[in-house]
Every structure is written in C-alpha cells, then in structure tokens.
Amino acid sequence: MSYQQPQLRGPLQRETDPSDRESLVSGHEHGGKSSQSAAVFNVVNSVIGSGIIGLPYSMKQAGFPLGILLLFWVSYITDFSLVLLIKGGALSGTDSYQSLVNKTFGFPGYLLLSTLQFMYPFIAMISYNIITGDTLSKVFQRLPGVDPGSWFISRHFIIVVSTVTCTLPLSLYRDIAKLGKISFISTILTAVILGVVVTRTISLGPNIPKTDNAWVFARPNAIQAIGVMSFGDLFENYCRSDDLVTFGRFCYGITVILTYPIECFVTREVITNVFFGGALSSVFHVTLTAAIVTAATLISLLIDCLGIVLELNGVLCAAPLIFIIPSACYLKLSEEPRTHSDKLMACVMFPVGAVVMVAGFVMAITNPQDCTHGQEMFYCFPDNISLTNISHSPRQLTAQLSLPNLSIFQ
C-alpha cells in the first residue's frame, strides 16, 4: 500500500476558502459517488491487488504459525500508526503527513519523509516490472509455435512492451480517480487468481510430497518477513504445463500492470510537492512521468531478483514510514503523561521499528534469498507426468520422483 500524504482532518482543520467549498460542492453534486467508488477501488487495488499473492513468501520466511501472528501484529501496528498520525495532525494543526513532519521536525524531517515517500512506491514500480517480466514470459512460452529461445518471450522485451503500451499511458493520468475503472478490473482479476490458487490447492495438495519442517513455528528470517509482508510470485510453485495456472499467471501479470500507475502517481505527487509547489504544467507533467517510468524500467531491466528488492523496500522505507516516524511525531507533540497508553505504545513502536530496519537490512545483505529464475519445481520434472490430470496414487508419484531426478536441482 502506498503511504502517501493521508489527510489528517481533525478538530483543528483549517477553513476552506470559497473556491475550495465550490469545488467540493461541485464534486459532490456531479461526481461524488463516482469519485468515492473510484477511491475505494484504488485503495483495494493498491492494498489487495498485489499484496495478497505474496503472503506465502512472508509465511515461508517467518514460519507459518509465527507468520500468521506477525500478519495480525503488523496490521494492528499499521492501523495504530494511522491513529497516531491523525492525533499528531490535530495537535500540530496540520492536515497531511508531510506537513505534520515539517511542523514537528522542520525542513530536514520533511525532506527525509519525502524521500521515503518517493522511494517506497518507486521501488514498488521496479518490483512490478520484475514480476511482469517473469510472469508473462511463462505465459507466452505456452503459446503454440513459440521458440523457447525467442526474444518474444524474454523478460526484457516484455517489460519494455508493457511499459510503452500500458503502464506509461495509464500513468499519464493527472487525476487518480480516473484509475478507478482500471482498479475495478484489477480487483476482479484478483478474485479470479484466488479461485485458481484455491482450485489447485484442492487438486494438487494431496499429490505433492511433504516438505520437511513445513510447520515449524518460527524461522530465523522472521525479521525479513516483517519488512516484506508484501507480494512475491506465488505462481513459481506451479508447473509450466498447467494450463489453468497459465491463465492465472496471465491474470496476475495484468493485475500488476494495472496496479503500477497508482504507485507512479504517488512518486510524481511527492516530487511535485517538494520541487514544484504542488502544481505541474501539462508539459512538465508528461516529462516528469516519462522520466520516473523510464528510470524504473531501466533499473528493472538490470535487476531480476525480486526477493532482495522487496526486502530492502520493506526494511528501509516501509519500517520508518509505519513504525518510526508516526511514533516519533506523537512522542514529541503529545503532552500526555508517560504512562498514557498511546505514549507507551509509541515508545514500543519506535525501537521495534529501528530494530526491524537495521536488522532487516543486515540480514537482507548478508543472507540474500536465492532467485529461481523460472526453474521448475522438482515435482514438475519427471517426464510424462501432468499434475493437472494425475492418474497415479500419491505413493506412485513419490516413487517416480526418485533421487536421480532430483539431482538436477542440487
């Protein structure tokens, strides 16, 4: 989810001038319901559209039982950080995240926050490109008559084409409400993807050999899981010959492409507020958007490992934005006693966020995750076995997955 300047309306909200009131009334009368629906779909697309797919990656990092607990804990902390931002806005008389930090810590704090607000969605854009290239390349490999070594199915070609034909044109919208229909389509595709995953869980689960220590309570990479709690490529776990999963991969790739413009909107908005006073001419709007998208595309062409990108974005950007800065602002502004529940919680969030940030960064650098680069899972390797139409018993399947067949993965 993009952490862009939430409006912190409270008891000390400023009065709107007549032109503001006229704009609000006009929007309410002519497009209020439409704009509200667009906002809902944009939020759903940003939060769920890509995030729900990567939860298994976080669970694998942390251990399934601990991962479930961490998921609820991170959700609660995120909600509480928003509460602290709203209370901080009321205490400081500000109505946005940036103005709150500027009022609390001055211009250096404002620049730091703006940098984080830019980097978080920008790195997400890079991640989306990586996923698009990896996912759709597997889809195009299944097209009849396509040579496995063809440039048509290379991740670089797919990233460039999707950028030129889809993500850049969609990112050029000036009003994020116009992305509402796009987000609605993405949300529908997410439901389709979920259906594919559930279907294959039922049909393939009993036939896949059990993984050792699959239900271990906790793993050493739990801190990295806190930083990520984002998306990874769940479809890496399925065989390329599975037509249903190929359709799911196609839907997933389209969902990621349709989510990309929302992140671009946030990065452009941050730059506009910092350097252009919140307003851009049409020429500068197009130029800035093209520059941001081009930079993200070039970087994604050079980096093909999704795991390290997600982990660094989580620990270096998300942790400060969610844990550290909101609690620091509230602790400095609030005059409540130290024993007040909000202050106690903020005192816990601040050091925890710092630990997640530092430890997560060190672990991401010293213990990077392996990149499979599309390597087939071991249960897809034996010849003439289709997991989508299995006629063998689980015992027979396990027998066919002999050690010699597994040697290729060692």
Side-chain angles (χ1 to χ4, degrees):
M1 176 180 179
S2 304
Y3 222 83
Q4 67 159 336
Q5 308 178 45
Q7 296 299 308
L8 306 178
R9 301 294 181 186
L12 301 179
Q13 65 183 9
R14 63 179 178 84
E15 295 241 346
T16 56
D17 58 32
S19 62
D20 288 336
R21 289 195 294 269
E22 181 179 355
S23 176
L24 290 173
V25 171
S26 175
H28 178 74
E29 291 179 349
H30 299 290
K33 292 184 178 179
S34 176
S35 299
Q36 186 177 20
S37 299
V40 170
F41 286 125
N42 282 334
V43 171
V44 171
N45 185 28
S46 181
V47 177
I48 299 179
S50 300
I52 194 173
I53 299 299
L55 291 180
Y57 176 75
S58 295
M59 301 302 172
K60 177 178 179 294
Q61 294 287 83
F64 185 76
L66 180 60
I68 293 294
L69 295 177
L70 288 177
L71 179 61
F72 283 102
W73 179 72
V74 170
S75 300
Y76 172 76
I77 293 298
T78 302
D79 179 74
F80 187 78
S81 71
L82 292 175
V83 173
L84 291 183
L85 288 176
I86 293 172
K87 291 184 176 181
L91 291 171
S92 61
T94 56
D95 60 1
S96 72
Y97 198 175
Q98 287 182 328
S99 57
L100 167 63
V101 174
N102 189 27
K103 186 73 173 288
T104 307
F105 295 106
F107 189 67
Y110 170 78
L111 285 182
L112 174 61
L113 176 68
S114 298
T115 301
L116 293 174
Q117 286 185 315
F118 171 83
M119 292 304 300
Y120 185 64
F122 181 74
I123 296 176
M125 292 166 61
I126 298 172
S127 303
Y128 291 155
N129 279 337
I130 295 174
I131 292 177
T132 299
D134 289 344
T135 302
L136 294 185
S137 63
K138 297 181 181 66
V139 174
F140 295 152
Q141 287 174 9
R142 297 286 295 154
L143 295 178
V146 174
D147 184 359
S150 173
W151 56 270
F152 175 72
I153 61 174
S154 67
R155 59 179 300 272
H156 294 84
F157 175 77
I158 292 173
I159 290 174
V160 172
V161 170
S162 65
T163 298
V164 173
T165 60
C166 297
T167 54
L168 178 57
L170 292 175
S171 298
L172 288 173
Y173 280 119
R174 297 180 72 99
D175 185 2
I176 196 172
K178 293 183 178 180
L179 296 175
K181 295 181 180 179
I182 300 298
S183 295
F184 174 74
I185 296 174
S186 179
T187 304
I188 296 299
L189 292 177
T190 299
V192 173
I193 295 168
L194 184 60
V196 171
V197 173
V198 171
T199 300
R200 280 295 170 253
T201 299
I202 296 173
S203 63
L204 300 184
N207 300 295
I208 296 178
K210 304 302 180 184
T211 302
D212 293 336
N213 299 321
W215 293 93
V216 64
F217 181 81
R219 296 182 185 274
N221 295 330
I223 292 181
Q224 290 169 281
I226 296 175
V228 176
M229 284 296 172
S230 181
F231 54 85
D233 194 351
L234 176 64
F235 287 108
E236 286 289 313
N237 297 319
Y238 298 98
C239 305
R240 297 187 188 182
S241 59
D242 190 333
D243 291 332
L244 179 61
V245 171
T246 298
F247 175 69
R249 287 190 176 110
F250 175 76
C251 294
Y252 182 38
I254 298 301
T255 296
V256 170
I257 290 175
L258 298 182
T259 308
Y260 182 104
I262 297 178
E263 307 296 345
C264 184
F265 182 92
V266 179
T267 60
R268 184 178 62 230
E269 189 77 4
V270 172
I271 293 179
T272 301
N273 290 336
V274 174
F275 297 103
F276 299 96
L280 283 177
S281 65
S282 297
V283 174
F284 275 102
H285 171 81
V286 174
T287 303
L288 179 58
T289 303
I292 294 172
V293 172
T294 300
T297 301
L298 292 176
I299 296 175
S300 62
L301 293 175
L302 298 175
I303 302 175
D304 60 355
C305 190
L306 180 63
I308 185 66
V309 175
L310 296 179
E311 290 175 6
L312 291 179
N313 198 25
V315 298
L316 295 182
C317 298
L321 286 170
I322 298 174
F323 291 88
I324 299 175
I325 297 179
S327 56
C329 289
Y330 181 77
L331 288 174
K332 185 171 182 179
L333 294 171
S334 176
E335 297 180 356
E336 297 286 349
R338 294 182 179 180
T339 56
H340 190 272
S341 59
D342 288 345
K343 268 204 169 179
L344 289 176
M345 189 64 183
C347 288
V348 173
M349 286 175 56
F350 187 90
V352 168
V355 169
V356 169
M357 181 177 177
V358 175
F361 176 75
V362 172
M363 293 181 68
I365 297 299
T366 59
N367 186 31
Q369 299 301 307
D370 295 332
C371 296
T372 60
H373 299 293
Q375 189 179 57
E376 287 274 56
M377 299 299 289
F378 67 90
Y379 42 79
C380 301
F381 182 69
D383 294 334
N384 301 320
I385 292 182
S386 173
L387 290 180
T388 61
N389 186 23
I390 293 175
S391 59
H392 308 304
S393 68
R395 181 175 298 179
Q396 288 174 317
L397 177 63
T398 305
Q400 288 182 332
L401 299 175
S402 57
L403 290 178
N405 286 335
L406 298 179
S407 62
I408 190 174
F409 301 100
Q410 297 176 353

